[in-house]
Amino acid sequence: MKALLTWLRRHRLERDLEAEFGFHLDRETEAGMARGLPRDTARALAISRFGAADAHKADVRQTRESFAIDGFIDDIRASLRSFRRQPGFCATAVLTLALGIGANTAIFTIVNAAFFARYPLDSPERLVRLYGQDEPRNLQQLGMSAPRFQLLRDQQTSFASIDAATFLPFTLGGTEPAQVNGASTTSSFLQTFGARPLAGRFFLPDEERDASVVVIGESLWRTRYGADPAVVGRVLTLDGTPRTIVGVAPRMPAFWDADVWAANPFQFPGVGQDAIERGFSYLAAVGRLAPGVSEAEARGELDVLLGRYRAAYPSNADAAWTGATVPMLEDIVGTTRSSILALLAAVGLLMVVACSNVANLLLVRASSRRQEIGLRLAIGASRGRIARQFLVESLALSGLGAAAGAMLAWWALPALVELARNNLAFVAEIQLNLPVLGATVLLAVVTGLLVGAYPAAQGSQTDVVSSLRDGGRSVAGAPKGHRVRRVILATQVAVSLVLLIGAGVLVASFLKLRAQPPGFDSSQVFVAGISLPPGTYPDGPSQERFYFRLAAALRNAPGVTQATLAQNAPLGGPFSRAPYASAEGDIPPLSERPLGLTRSVLPGYFATLGIPLLAGRDFSERDTANQSPVAVVSAATARRLESEGRPVLGHRIIMGSSGGGQVMEIVGVVGDVRSVTLASTPDVEFYRPVQQRGRPFMQMIVRTSGRADAFEATARQVLASIDPSLPLTGATTLDAVVTQSLAQQRLLFIVLAVFAGLAVVLSAVGIYGVVAWYVGQRTTEIGVRMAMGASRARVVRGVLGQTLGPVALGLAIGVVVAASLARSVQGLLFQVSPLEPALVAASTATLAIIALIASAVPARRASRVSPAEAMRSA
Amino acid sequence: MSTRPLDLLQGTLDLLILRTLALQPMHGWGISQRIQQMSEDVLRVNQGSLYPALNRLETAGWIESEWGASENNRQAKFYRLTRAGEKQLRAESESWARMTAAVGKILKGSEAL
């Protein structure tokens, strides 16, 4: 295409010249004939006077090509040619831009996935998540109970529909039993979400309480059934019961996805129907706003309806809760929002540093090209042309940078996604796509214009005469250009310092968090989940028998020192809270009781995890369902009870919502465990024997004598020896669970530390470049000074003076900017002030030292200038 | 002194072309004739420099070209001065005047020696 254009243009030029020359000869011949010469003679004379036409044509072509600015493409070609001549400059600039643009592309990709991702759903922006909140107890984003949901569904008018689901694992039967993600939903849940069946249909209204039909999810459909549309009508075994597949649902966003969708949402394994009726809040509710109704209007109606619920069920656990709504798209991004915004700010700052660097490089290059520009101006190039050439050069540079950056992002993205996998809910959706590439291209163009504008303006103002006279060297230097370079330098240093301080506080915060004593010993502990299908294990006693047999078998397995089972290992996944109160004295109504963490465990839980028993006793096999209910509490809970002037051991509390709560006796006190987050110890935590508080899902917790991660095969054998139909899920180590709980903080600090490192390197390159240029420009002057007796130290001081001023200014500005940004990052930090004096001082000192080194290297070179050499080259 | 026409110095040709085109748009042959006439046959334009010069001035944006009908009704490429060209002509005429005056002074001085 380009070749064709060039050929066409050259062809036209040739034809034009041919015609023009022909006309000239004809007129010359006519003029000769007018003087009385015969035609042939006149013609011959004309030709001889005209000279060699081919040579003239070649001259014309050369004139054109020496300008080489016939068009944009020529400009680009000329730019690329000049880059080839200066590969060092070109590589530095392109690499710098590639880093900046690549980092931006990667972060844009995440942001795009977070805020703009398109799910295969109809108008997801009309979807609203419905939460409960308990203002007096400061609990937010609570689930919804079945009676509350049913009242809302029956009476509301603001939503086209509202639906609810609860997500829990199912066991798929077959030759290889597998645990899959399941959901029990109201009948129109998938329709409300705006999903469309990939095959078959979703549930019918009268199938809501029907246990015989299921819809399967897209990923299961593809992996297990080869995406066969004829899967509809087939039967699968779910938790030991045969079910008929009626349809296939598309992949749903983030944690709303499931492999198997079933009905029957108003029951929950391990929780009695009575507790469900009394306000056990386990449902995730979602509504699709009716046409023309705003979220605020819907919330208004919600408040009215919740008032009716309070009046109808005054003693329910959730009676006093108010309602809250969150747009679904926002809800999916959730708590990662502030981290994402921090990343976006950081990557923007990195881009500023990268752009400053390239602008500086271009300025240096422009000043070293004064002679060339002067020459081109002298032979007739217009100043506009020169400016355009500069702009095209910087655009070509940023274009190359963008291409390299996009490749960098493409290459780095899998690592970033891996890093983000478990703390960004929407991570599966992350991929490079058109909007992101568009943003990259836009960024490249804007960068090119920003970075090229000043050198272009500068270059085109070159003074023809002086640039030629000085031979491109200037003894005094261009003071204005140098001032601009110093401003750019100060900016770079300031921005780098902000990034450095930001990364510093995040690292400090992470290390502090990491160093928190968790209250248990996580080394050499293997953890894996088991869920018991209600078909084979219908009641508490059967589940209990299984757990005790499994625990005993595990203890006898090779390489095991201790083994137990619990509802969840600390820091590992969902936790449950139950309303509680002291059973002595006045008992407040259920809806006013605070919530306390509750965990069902087998005897030996505390010993296995190294949690100290401070008073009383551990549970034993004798704490059966028929015996009087007992509980063990954490030290913090004990302190709280003691502060109310009550003895702890033997104290009776009422806990749970089923039957208005169950009275139990505290038989033991154990050390505090950071079981929900490493950042804090729960105020209240209760442990219950699994015999008295049954759970169909448990985790095995095994302390091994060897490596914990090597225990998985043994664990499977042990499980299979007791029940070969049960799958083992989520096998991992407790160390990994603890590490995983800090994933979001780790992601943020790693990315920010990388950005800060890049910014510092780029700044160092920038400082080095400016000083080196300054020294190069003043070789003559320095030579003269040294010839006149200036000491080396004095020369070095003079050169350093050029950068240390802007660096100091930049550092000061950086501290001020960091201080003004402090408040916005406070929420991301743990026990670290965003302006920790030691960190600010260390960051400033680090950057100052790096700046000093970057300027000292060329400055030393200046002091080695041989006076004789310098003056000769002048 | 010979009366043989002088070849033009490099650089002065641009000035003369601009001056010629300031009168009216003209084709290449016309320009060379006009320069010869106006200099009363003292200056002769070498075709080998004329056409490259025209192309150079055109790329610099000082003149522009267009095909049109010539005085004998033939297709010819006409060149016309642009706004930028007018400015350039003024600037170059001025520096030319200063230079010739200076050179003249020096030559006079040398005669006096």
Side-chain angles (χ1 to χ4, degrees):
Chain A
M1 183 65 205
K2 213 172 87 182
L4 182 70
L5 265 177
T6 313
W7 180 83
L8 275 178
R9 200 178 307 126
R10 175 155 307 162
H11 191 68
R12 215 194 63 196
L13 180 69
E14 295 286 313
R15 242 188 17 232
D16 266 23
L17 279 178
E18 200 76 46
E20 204 173 6
F21 288 0
F23 173 77
H24 189 110
L25 287 177
D26 288 352
R27 294 292 286 138
E28 192 73 23
T29 311
E30 283 164 21
M33 286 162 71
R35 291 202 300 271
L37 293 172
R39 174 175 260 280
D40 288 355
T41 319
R43 185 75 187 169
L45 189 64
I47 289 174
S48 85
R49 283 182 78 175
F50 192 81
D54 285 348
H56 298 345
K57 276 187 210 161
D59 282 351
V60 170
R61 271 201 299 276
Q62 208 187 346
T63 314
R64 290 231 168 214
E65 277 166 13
S66 73
F67 284 86
I69 39 177
D70 212 353
F72 196 66
I73 291 177
D74 288 332
D75 275 352
I76 290 178
R77 211 180 297 133
S79 304
L80 294 180
R81 257 204 309 277
S82 78
F83 294 161
R84 252 203 309 274
R85 280 198 302 271
Q86 288 170 297
F89 157 79
C90 179
T92 313
V94 168
L95 205 65
T96 303
L97 284 174
L99 283 177
I101 292 178
N104 270 275
T105 309
I107 298 302
F108 283 175
T109 305
I110 292 183
V111 172
N112 180 61
F115 297 117
F116 312 108
R118 291 172 58 95
Y119 300 107
L121 304 174
D122 293 333
S123 30
E125 70 283 353
R126 300 292 293 165
L127 285 176
V128 172
R129 172 99 189 247
L130 305 177
Y131 281 114
Q133 57 185 19
D134 186 343
E135 281 159 23
R137 289 182 279 187
N138 196 23
L139 297 171
Q140 269 134 29
Q141 306 212 325
L142 301 168
M144 195 173 283
S145 66
R148 189 173 163 103
F149 170 75
Q150 282 158 339
L151 182 140
L152 289 179
R153 183 166 69 174
D154 292 345
Q155 301 191 14
Q156 65 85 19
T157 56
S158 307
F159 296 97
S161 56
I162 71 171
D163 281 275
T166 179
F167 291 79
L168 28 109
F170 291 147
T171 304
L172 263 188
T175 47
E176 282 174 58
Q179 186 168 326
V180 295
N181 297 319
S184 291
T185 70
T186 49
S187 60
S188 58
F189 182 84
L190 288 164
Q191 288 92 327
T192 294
F193 242 91
R196 293 175 189 180
L198 299 175
R201 59 172 176 86
F202 295 152
F203 299 120
L204 302 173
D206 60 0
E207 285 171 337
E208 187 158 293
R209 288 166 192 273
D210 183 347
S212 69
V213 290
V214 291
V215 169
I216 60 170
E218 184 176 351
S219 53
L220 188 74
W221 182 49
R222 293 194 185 285
T223 55
R224 201 170 162 118
Y225 296 100
D228 180 6
V231 74
V232 174
R234 285 172 66 174
V235 173
L236 55 75
T237 310
L238 199 65
D239 289 347
T241 322
R243 318 275 186 115
T244 307
I245 300 172
V246 295
V248 178
R251 212 161 51 83
M252 302 282 279
F255 41 75
W256 295 98
D257 200 19
D259 294 315
V260 176
W261 300 87
N264 270 321
F266 302 126
Q267 44 182 272
F268 194 83
V271 178
Q273 212 51 40
D274 177 57
I276 286 177
E277 290 308 319
R278 282 182 169 271
F280 173 65
S281 299
Y282 65 101
L283 289 169
V286 59
R288 177 171 287 274
L289 291 169
V293 177
S294 73
E295 190 197 335
E297 288 162 355
R299 192 172 2 207
E301 192 197 37
L302 203 60
D303 290 342
V304 174
L305 295 180
L306 290 178
R308 288 187 206 161
Y309 175 74
R310 205 165 301 134
Y313 303 89
S315 62
N316 269 13
D318 60 342
W321 295 2
T322 51
T325 55
V326 180
M328 181 58 72
L329 293 180
E330 223 169 87
D331 190 60
I332 288 171
V333 179
T335 51
T336 44
R337 192 186 193 87
S338 58
S339 302
I340 285 175
L341 291 177
L343 287 182
L344 206 56
V347 84
L349 291 178
L350 181 65
M351 195 66 196
V352 171
V353 176
C355 284
S356 321
N357 237 12
V358 176
N360 241 338
L361 279 172
L362 283 175
L363 272 176
V364 167
R365 188 171 130 90
S367 62
S368 67
R369 288 166 77 191
R370 287 181 69 222
Q371 193 175 15
E372 174 201 336
I373 295 158
L375 190 63
R376 279 175 49 188
L377 284 170
I379 60 171
S382 72
R383 288 178 192 277
R385 274 278 154 76
I386 300 274
R388 195 180 78 181
Q389 175 69 34
F390 269 90
L391 273 184
V392 167
E393 266 184 30
S394 65
L395 281 175
L397 267 187
S398 52
L400 286 174
M407 277 194 290
L408 195 70
W410 192 67
W411 169 78
L413 210 56
L416 200 62
V417 166
E418 197 50 50
L419 199 63
R421 183 166 304 284
N422 286 303
N423 60 81
L424 299 178
F426 42 83
V427 81
E429 329 289 330
I430 294 182
Q431 50 188 329
L432 268 186
N433 56 11
L434 275 181
V436 170
L437 282 182
T440 307
V441 170
L442 191 70
L443 195 66
V445 171
V446 172
T447 307
L449 291 177
L450 278 181
V451 154
Y454 185 76
Q458 274 295 83
S460 66
Q461 277 161 27
T462 301
D463 178 20
V464 178
V465 177
S466 70
S467 68
L468 291 176
R469 187 187 52 214
D470 297 345
R473 255 173 297 121
S474 113
V475 176
K480 196 168 152 214
H482 201 55
R483 197 155 56 233
V484 171
R485 269 188 283 277
R486 285 155 71 166
V487 170
I488 293 177
L489 201 63
T491 314
Q492 246 178 349
V493 170
V495 172
S496 302
L497 184 60
V498 170
L499 278 174
L500 204 55
I501 292 175
V505 292
L506 279 172
V507 172
S509 158
F510 178 82
L511 291 179
K512 253 196 180 144
L513 207 49
R514 179 80 244 223
Q516 293 304 304
F520 57 92
D521 177 8
S522 63
S523 61
Q524 291 186 307
V525 176
F526 173 82
V527 177
I530 304 122
S531 76
L532 301 182
T536 15
Y537 301 91
D539 52 9
S542 59
Q543 294 171 359
E544 180 191 322
R545 272 195 304 279
F546 171 84
Y547 293 140
F548 276 88
R549 276 185 68 198
L550 179 61
L554 285 169
R555 278 186 210 109
N556 290 328
V560 174
T561 47
Q562 278 163 312
T564 187
L565 278 88
Q567 183 182 345
N568 253 319
L571 297 173
F575 43 87
S576 54
R577 293 175 198 268
Y580 74 95
S582 172
E584 290 160 24
D586 290 339
I587 303 176
L590 192 56
S591 62
E592 286 170 24
R593 296 177 200 161
L595 298 180
L597 286 174
T598 315
R599 191 180 300 262
S600 297
V601 302
L602 255 66
Y605 175 78
F606 307 113
T608 305
L609 285 178
I611 302 169
L613 184 66
L614 303 176
R617 64 170 179 92
D618 185 6
F619 302 122
S620 77
E621 300 204 9
R622 289 188 299 278
D623 292 315
T624 60
N626 303 326
Q627 295 297 310
S628 61
V630 290
V632 168
V633 298
S634 68
T637 319
R639 278 196 299 277
R640 177 175 283 238
L641 288 169
E642 275 162 359
S643 72
E644 291 164 12
R646 306 169 194 271
V648 180
L649 289 182
H651 187 83
R652 291 179 334 122
I653 51 169
I654 182 163
M655 189 157 62
S657 46
S658 166
Q662 191 181 19
V663 176
M664 59 197 66
E665 187 187 331
I666 297 175
V667 296
V669 179
V670 294
D672 281 324
V673 171
R674 297 185 183 235
S675 56
V676 176
T677 155
L678 269 183
S680 63
T681 306
D683 296 337
V684 176
E685 181 151 27
F686 297 101
Y687 298 92
R688 300 292 323 282
V690 76
Q691 304 98 300
Q692 296 180 351
R693 183 173 177 270
R695 295 279 113 179
F697 321 119
M698 292 285 269
Q699 278 193 311
M700 59 168 76
I701 300 170
V702 182
R703 184 170 295 280
T704 57
S705 52
R707 290 170 54 98
D709 52 0
F711 187 70
E712 185 174 345
T714 317
R716 283 188 195 284
Q717 281 168 13
V718 172
L719 182 62
S721 72
I722 298 175
D723 185 343
S725 75
L726 290 182
L728 189 72
T729 58
T732 180
T733 67
L734 196 52
D735 275 335
V737 170
V738 173
T739 305
Q740 189 56 50
S741 76
L742 296 176
Q744 188 169 336
Q745 288 90 338
R746 181 178 295 107
L747 169 77
L748 196 60
F749 104 74
I750 290 180
V751 174
L752 215 66
V754 169
F755 286 180
L758 288 178
V760 170
V761 170
L762 291 181
S763 296
V765 170
I767 292 168
Y768 175 87
V770 169
V771 178
W773 177 85
Y774 177 84
V775 170
Q777 289 289 300
R778 306 214 173 188
T779 307
T780 314
E781 182 191 325
I782 293 167
V784 172
R785 282 175 184 231
M786 290 182 67
M788 294 175 69
S791 69
R792 286 195 168 179
R794 209 185 142 69
V795 168
V796 171
R797 267 207 306 280
V799 173
L800 288 186
Q802 289 301 312
T803 48
L804 295 194
V807 167
L809 181 67
L811 290 176
I813 294 173
V815 171
V816 172
V817 173
S820 64
L821 291 177
R823 188 186 305 233
S824 55
V825 296
Q826 185 84 66
L828 296 171
L829 301 178
F830 172 74
Q831 290 184 2
V832 174
S833 153
L835 282 175
E836 194 83 23
L839 275 172
V840 173
S843 306
T844 313
T846 308
L847 204 52
I849 290 169
I850 290 173
L852 195 65
I853 294 171
S855 12
V857 173
R860 261 167 63 86
R861 207 161 55 222
S863 73
R864 299 243 172 84
V865 167
S866 141
E869 189 74 27
M871 315 247 305
R872 211 174 19 252
S873 71
Chain B
M1 276 295 264
S2 157
T3 54
R4 212 171 63 100
L6 293 170
D7 279 334
L8 273 171
L9 283 168
Q10 181 79 32
T12 45
L13 176 60
D14 290 4
L15 178 57
L16 296 183
I17 293 173
L18 293 178
R19 174 76 189 106
T20 313
L21 289 179
L23 306 175
Q24 66 180 95
M26 212 173 281
H27 45 69
W29 185 76
I31 294 170
S32 70
Q33 291 299 303
R34 183 59 64 90
I35 290 175
Q36 221 162 314
Q37 269 172 28
M38 292 201 308
S39 68
E40 291 158 359
D41 284 335
V42 175
L43 298 176
R44 191 184 66 190
V45 181
N46 179 358
Q47 323 305 339
S49 358
L50 173 67
Y51 286 98
L54 285 172
N55 266 282
R56 189 166 60 235
L57 294 175
E58 192 176 0
T59 25
W62 292 329
I63 62 175
E64 53 196 16
S65 66
E66 199 181 6
W67 285 89
S70 72
E71 56 281 358
N72 58 354
N73 239 344
R74 298 252 300 278
Q75 279 294 305
K77 197 176 187 181
F78 282 86
Y79 295 90
R80 180 184 329 115
L81 207 57
T82 63
R83 186 74 59 79
E86 286 169 21
K87 241 169 81 184
Q88 181 67 13
L89 174 59
R90 274 198 298 279
E92 284 199 19
S93 309
E94 197 183 313
S95 56
W96 174 261
R98 276 170 45 205
M99 191 176 101
T100 46
V103 173
K105 268 183 202 153
I106 293 166
L107 293 181
K108 260 190 207 128
S110 72
E111 269 168 22
L113 280 175

